[in-house]
């Protein structure tokens, strides 16, 4: 797989953009993005751009996936909560770097397609459900890491509550006219510390479920 020149090019771009952890680069190298994009965009699978998937959503740009994963500082024993499964591309990369990923998506059809991809890749440490990610996954909390791939205005309180002591959350926040910023939130004994990472553009984190899913 690593011999593919498109993948080698992408890994070089990821390095230039500040992805430092070699394990993150390897996980991206081992995850065939063409499996996650619609067939009509197959020729752009390895380009560093977001692409449309069904339900009006997008598969994130590879450098953003790489940076978010890098800044999570994942360890092999950690339990991770992901909000916004989408295509499942980010989920698959997380799954290679931690113990288990719990992932929530509000569109059932997207989730079913993502689950089929996880099976195809033999990724057996992913648990998924259809739901509103604002609520998190209380039955499995606390999580050492939380990643949100759709933008709210403020971090949902339930997600902050489900973040373990010393845990890290990476989340895009929508600041209205100023656009979105990717923020890293660390939970310390004193409270929550915020660190600005970079400007980004994600689809909004939407309240509730689509009408046909309820
Ligand atoms: N990481 C994904 C990004 C998908 S886009 C990928 O690379 O493919 C963000 C996803 O968040 C969309 O699929 C959207 O349906 C989902 N989403 C938006 N609001 C949500 C919510 N409240 N709960 C769960 N998922 C949500």
């Amino acid at each position: 797989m690593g011999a593919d020149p498109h993948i080698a090019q992408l890994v070089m771009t990821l390095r230039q953009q500040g992805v430092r952890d070699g394990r993150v680069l390897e996980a991206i190298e081992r995850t065939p993005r063409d499996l996650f994009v619609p067939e009509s965009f197959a020729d752009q699978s390895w380009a560093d751009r977001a692409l449309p998937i069904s339900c009006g959503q997008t598969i994130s740009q590879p450098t953003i996936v790489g940076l978010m994963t890098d800044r999570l500082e994942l360890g092999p024993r950690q339990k991770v909560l992901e909000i916004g499964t989408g295509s499942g591309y980010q989920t698959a990369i997380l799954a290679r770097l931690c113990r288990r990923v719990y992932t929530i998506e509000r569109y059932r059809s997207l989730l079913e397609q993502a689950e089929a991809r996880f099976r195809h890749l033999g990724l057996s440490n992913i648990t998924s459900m259809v739901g509103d990610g604002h609520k998190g996954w209380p039955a499995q909390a606390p999580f050492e890491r939380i990643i949100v791939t759709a933008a709210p205005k403020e971090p949902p309180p339930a997600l902050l509550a489900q973040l373990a002591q010393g845990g890290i959350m990476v989340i895009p926040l929508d600041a209205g006219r100023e656009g979105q910023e990717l923020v890293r939130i660390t939970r310390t004994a004193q409270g929550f510390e915020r660190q600005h990472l970079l400007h980004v553009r994600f689809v909004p984190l939407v309240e509730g479920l689509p009408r046909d899913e309820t």
Side-chain angles (χ1 to χ4, degrees):
M1 247 190 262
D4 186 324
H6 299 293
I7 305 178
Q9 177 63 49
L10 177 60
V11 168
M12 219 154 75
T13 309
L14 288 162
R15 275 188 211 280
Q16 284 161 358
Q17 296 292 318
V19 177
R20 305 180 196 116
D21 188 338
R23 293 169 311 158
V24 173
L25 294 170
E26 196 195 320
I28 290 175
E29 216 172 337
R30 287 176 56 202
T31 307
R33 193 166 184 255
D34 47 345
L35 197 70
F36 295 83
V37 308
E39 233 170 284
S40 48
F41 288 96
D43 58 330
Q44 294 179 56
S45 301
W46 291 98
D48 187 25
R49 39 171 303 208
L51 295 169
I53 55 176
S54 54
C55 303
Q57 305 303 316
T58 51
I59 174 171
S60 308
Q61 188 182 345
T63 47
I64 299 297
V65 171
L67 282 169
M68 289 177 88
T69 311
D70 192 80
R71 300 307 186 261
L72 274 177
E73 295 177 27
L74 291 170
R77 301 187 57 79
Q78 290 172 345
K79 203 160 95 170
V80 179
L81 174 65
E82 179 193 41
I83 307 301
T85 319
S87 68
Y89 179 62
Q90 170 80 74
T91 323
I93 289 161
L94 295 169
R96 297 190 193 281
L97 297 164
C98 70
R99 181 161 62 82
R100 181 158 288 276
V101 185
Y102 294 85
T103 186
I104 305 177
E105 168 57 52
R106 58 192 290 280
Y107 284 105
R108 185 175 305 279
S109 60
L110 282 180
L111 194 66
E112 284 172 354
Q113 292 172 52
E115 285 166 344
R117 294 174 180 128
F118 304 151
R119 280 194 296 276
H120 179 82
L121 291 173
L123 296 168
S124 55
N125 60 338
I126 298 169
T127 309
S128 56
M129 74 163 169
V130 173
D132 179 357
H134 285 94
K135 298 179 186 149
W137 200 317
Q140 292 296 339
F143 298 93
E144 281 97 27
R145 300 290 185 262
I146 298 180
I147 177 169
V148 184
T149 69
K153 292 198 166 59
E154 280 298 317
L159 298 185
L160 291 174
Q162 290 171 32
L163 187 62
Q165 272 292 340
I168 298 174
M169 180 185 320
V170 173
I171 182 170
L173 296 178
D174 194 338
R177 275 212 305 243
E178 275 133 72
Q180 298 174 6
E181 56 169 353
L182 192 62
V183 172
R184 180 161 106 147
I185 299 172
T186 308
R187 183 168 200 170
T188 67
Q190 285 74 43
F192 297 93
E193 280 170 14
R194 278 193 195 192
Q195 181 192 2
H196 168 89
L197 296 178
L198 68 158
H199 291 284
V200 286
R201 206 160 66 194
F202 280 87
V203 298
L205 188 73
V206 181
E207 293 281 350
L209 291 180
R211 220 181 319 167
D212 55 347
E213 307 278 0
T214 49

